[in-house]
Amino acid sequence: MTAPASFVVPEGYTLHKENTSAILLPASNDAFLNPVQEFNRDLSVACIRTWGETMNAEKERKWRQSLERRAKKAEGQHKAKKAKNVADASSSVTEQPAESAAPAEGPSEHAAAPSQTQPEFRPQPFVILEALSATGLRSIRYANEIPLVKHVIANDLSPAAVEAMRRNIELNDLHEKTEASAEGSEKPSIRPAKVRVNEGDACALMYNHRMERNRVDVVDLDPYGTAAPFIDAAVQCVNDGGLLCVTCTDMSVLATTNYPEKCFSNYGGAPVKAEYCHEAALRLVLHTLATSAARYGRYIYPLLSLSIDFYVRLFVRVHTSPIDVKRVFSKTAVYYVCSGCQFYYEQPLGRVVENTTEKNGKVNVNVHFKVQTGPGVSERCPECNSAMHVAGPMWSGALHDKDFVSGVLSHVESNEDKYGTAARMKGMLTVAKEELDTPFYFTPSKVSSHFHCVCPSLDETASAILHAGHKISRSHACAGSLKTTASYADIHDIFRSWVKTHPVRMDKVPENSPTRVLLSKEAKIEANFKRHPESITPSSKVKLVRYQQNPTPNWGPGAKPSGKRKRDEDE
């Protein structure tokens, strides 16, 4: 519910409208808001709605299975009781005279039972906790736009931000309200607040909700900078099967090697210096979420992990399962990355060994976890002989759940008028849906720069990879990028074939350049650059806004709020 048409904006404030909500922004910038983050908020609304539908579908399925079990149990008890009655009747017939055994007139035993009303499943409303709310716009949008929200807990440590939240919640008519009494009732009714404000430390609030009876269904962390200080509390206060939404904006730590010690202290791993650094940033954050949850017998299941503009945004489900916690060991890897040609080698930390045995017609699967052997690469790159650097440990599993992404995409396509950034949401979700689960992407232009050769087109590169028997997809994280099941050695072989028809001017290549090492090797295959039927992915066939264009002058993350804040700033 947005502000009424007759609403007069107070002096010293500006009215900011976004979708169905409106908030008052003070000129003093005491509570921070980044208008460019509308895409983040739109995407969050769509993902939480889709998760809510999925969660209720799972609950309905379990509910119906429970009904079937109870019906079968009742039917079995009815048959047993009927058989006992027949046996008792037969026994009494043999003991009584024939004339007394005649059946009495009355309703037949087989008369149809009165029809019972079939029970209906009622979708379960859920509670959202936004730990770092600032102006409260995100919480207000959740309350206005997600039908199954029971209530939203909006928290901030700054008194100025809390004051702004209360003002904006009242503006959107989401506060606690005394309503006129119904006819015949003496007492007026009190409508509970749809958005409940809390002033306090975000971690303390989440720790207060870590007991199973107090847990919330969705936790949203959207800080200014890193979410690392809040993750331990967040993974504990989410319900089993609940949703954890995390934003990190410290890309200078996650996606560069400028501050490796800071990356290790925040995320438990070393960053990557390569063109695929933004995907590595996602995997570092997922590693932090996975290991933090594992300490409490919980594991994460990534639904959607996106690198967007100057930040990463992740949506993961949190479950409790000891056996799946053990599998996190095999979904974690260290990567050796070449400082020259960006070749990488994946070194998993653990491996899963499954032994299947059959006894008495029953199949038993014994699962063992073992330390992985390695490393399988030396300190010099096998492709260009440059130095290899260590990155990670980081998450090596899938970034997205394809079914979930399809559900979000379908929701957005059927509700385009409800999202101001629907065009870009469709574009990014379409690319994420097609994205391969293999780690890291590359761009033909970057590989061409390593060979000092003319760059083949994206279509020619994709076709050559497909003709060689590998799979390809685009990556949401970088325009003009490709993900493939081919190794870097295979990609280099394709470019060596390309160089045969597009010669390199060796007089322009320095004597000690890694390019000379790359070119000195013979190609193991003869690449075919003719267009392959599958080189154009479905997302390429229609015009989609996959990557953000600068929406405003001097566009970027924005400055921190001017008020005194303690690690609870929100974008």
Side-chain angles (χ1 to χ4, degrees):
M1 183 178 181
T2 189
S6 58
F7 178 77
V8 179
V9 179
E11 187 178 349
Y13 293 90
T14 57
L15 186 67
H16 176 81
K17 294 183 179 180
E18 191 172 290
N19 210 355
T20 59
S21 306
I23 62 170
L24 290 170
L25 293 176
S28 58
N29 193 31
D30 289 334
F32 180 74
L33 174 77
N34 190 347
V36 176
Q37 287 282 61
E38 181 182 358
F39 175 76
N40 186 326
R41 291 184 282 269
D42 281 352
L43 185 67
S44 299
V45 170
C47 286
I48 294 174
R49 286 190 67 158
T50 305
W51 165 83
E53 293 168 3
T54 303
M55 180 265 294
N56 272 296
E58 291 171 356
K59 289 184 180 295
E60 183 176 6
R61 184 171 63 251
K62 291 179 181 178
W63 177 76
R64 294 197 182 281
Q65 289 171 351
S66 176
L67 283 184
E68 290 174 4
R69 285 194 299 269
R70 281 187 283 176
K72 287 180 181 179
K73 184 178 179 181
E75 186 180 354
Q77 291 174 344
H78 176 70
K79 287 182 178 179
K81 185 177 180 181
K82 185 177 179 181
K84 185 176 181 299
N85 291 339
V86 171
D88 291 345
S90 300
S91 174
S92 63
V93 166
T94 56
E95 294 174 2
Q96 294 177 8
E99 60 272 11
S100 64
E105 292 184 5
S108 170
E109 185 181 351
H110 301 286
S115 62
Q116 296 181 349
T117 305
Q118 285 283 39
E120 291 184 4
F121 176 78
R122 294 182 179 179
Q124 180 179 328
F126 49 85
V127 176
I128 301 175
L129 188 155
E130 190 192 1
L132 311 159
S133 297
T135 61
L137 175 59
R138 187 181 295 261
S139 293
I140 290 167
R141 286 197 58 182
Y142 289 165
N144 277 332
E145 299 175 37
I146 303 175
L148 288 175
V149 167
K150 185 177 181 181
H151 64 264
V152 182
I153 303 171
N155 176 75
D156 207 288
L157 186 59
S158 164
V162 170
E163 182 184 349
M165 274 193 284
R166 295 188 192 280
R167 181 170 55 243
N168 293 327
I169 290 167
E170 187 171 350
L171 175 64
N172 288 269
D173 196 28
L174 296 170
H175 58 298
E176 183 178 282
K177 189 176 182 181
T178 302
E179 297 179 336
S181 59
E183 189 175 346
S185 175
E186 296 180 359
K187 294 183 178 180
S189 60
I190 298 177
R191 186 196 67 181
K194 196 74 178 285
V195 180
R196 303 178 183 180
V197 178
N198 183 80
E199 181 182 342
D201 180 78
C203 288
L205 175 65
M206 290 187 285
Y207 281 131
N208 286 336
H209 284 83
R210 65 181 171 177
M211 300 301 291
E212 194 168 345
R213 64 179 181 274
N214 294 331
R215 286 176 180 167
V216 297
D217 301 290
V218 181
V219 172
D220 194 319
L221 301 176
D222 191 16
Y224 190 98
T226 179
F230 312 103
I231 288 174
D232 182 80
V235 296
Q236 294 184 68
C237 76
V238 182
N239 262 326
D240 199 24
L243 184 67
L244 179 57
C245 317
V246 180
T247 299
C248 293
T249 65
D250 55 335
M251 297 306 284
S252 61
V253 172
L254 278 167
T256 72
T257 53
N258 294 338
Y259 310 99
E261 75 290 347
K262 185 65 174 175
C263 186
F264 179 78
S265 64
N266 281 349
Y267 303 103
V272 169
K273 186 178 182 180
E275 65 173 338
Y276 41 81
C277 59
H278 288 90
E279 183 178 329
L282 287 169
R283 296 185 179 277
L284 283 165
V285 179
L286 284 171
H287 168 69
T288 305
L289 294 173
T291 52
S292 298
R295 295 186 187 99
Y296 307 101
R298 317 192 83 186
Y299 76 97
I300 65 162
Y301 183 75
L303 298 177
L304 181 63
S305 311
L306 298 177
S307 174
I308 309 165
D309 307 330
F310 51 86
Y311 62 94
V312 292
R313 181 67 167 168
L314 304 97
F315 300 88
V316 302
R317 293 190 76 174
V318 181
H319 298 272
T320 303
S321 172
I323 185 63
D324 287 296
V325 168
K326 295 177 181 179
R327 292 184 184 274
V328 174
F329 183 44
S330 61
K331 293 179 181 178
T332 306
V334 171
Y335 290 88
Y336 295 90
V337 181
C338 174
S339 58
C341 67
Q342 300 189 0
F343 165 91
Y344 69 88
Y345 175 80
E346 180 181 292
Q347 175 62 64
L349 292 188
R351 57 193 175 98
V352 182
V353 179
E354 294 185 356
N355 297 320
T356 305
T357 58
E358 188 173 348
K359 187 177 181 180
N360 299 329
K362 294 183 178 180
V363 178
N364 296 318
V365 179
N366 297 317
V367 181
H368 300 280
F369 299 89
K370 297 186 177 182
V371 177
Q372 184 64 275
T373 57
V377 67
S378 69
E379 62 182 14
R380 310 300 295 185
C381 174
E383 288 294 305
C384 71
N385 203 38
S386 297
M388 299 287 282
H389 292 281
V390 178
M394 62 182 74
W395 178 265
S396 61
L399 297 177
H400 319 293
D401 176 76
K402 300 297 191 295
D403 292 335
F404 177 81
V405 177
S406 297
V408 180
L409 183 58
S410 298
H411 166 74
V412 174
E413 288 175 339
S414 57
N415 296 275
E416 287 189 47
D417 57 324
K418 295 182 180 179
Y419 299 105
T421 61
R424 191 185 179 199
M425 288 172 70
K426 286 168 58 182
M428 186 162 278
L429 290 168
T430 301
V431 177
K433 178 184 173 183
E434 298 169 359
E435 201 167 315
L436 291 173
D437 291 335
T438 54
F440 305 139
Y441 54 85
F442 76 96
T443 58
S445 59
K446 192 69 175 179
V447 180
S448 297
S449 70
H450 297 149
F451 279 85
H452 281 243
C453 68
V454 175
C455 181
S457 68
L458 194 66
D459 184 60
E460 287 173 322
T461 307
S463 296
I465 294 171
L466 288 165
H467 282 303
H470 306 289
K471 296 179 181 178
I472 61 112
S473 75
R474 299 290 183 91
S475 171
H476 77 276
C478 179
S481 60
L482 290 173
K483 297 190 80 171
T484 177
T485 54
S487 66
Y488 250 78
D490 296 327
I491 296 168
H492 287 164
D493 271 346
I494 289 170
F495 275 78
R496 290 185 185 104
S497 293
W498 173 260
V499 167
K500 289 180 181 179
T501 55
H502 300 79
V504 176
R505 288 191 58 180
M506 298 305 294
D507 59 313
K508 299 290 186 182
V509 181
E511 284 297 325
N512 296 324
S513 172
T515 299
R516 290 187 176 270
V517 182
L518 288 171
L519 291 170
S520 65
K521 298 182 179 181
E522 286 294 325
K524 296 177 182 177
I525 61 168
E526 191 65 36
N528 180 3
F529 292 94
K530 291 183 180 179
R531 171 168 285 186
H532 191 280
E534 297 176 10
S535 65
I536 300 180
T537 59
S539 64
S540 305
K541 295 178 181 178
V542 293
K543 188 172 180 61
L544 296 172
V545 182
R546 301 182 191 88
Y547 308 103
Q548 175 73 6
Q549 302 296 317
N550 287 3
T552 59
N554 305 315
W555 170 78
K560 285 186 178 181
S562 58
K564 292 183 179 180
R565 309 286 299 281
K566 295 181 181 179
R567 67 178 199 182
D568 67 337
E569 292 88 1
D570 174 64
E571 292 190 308

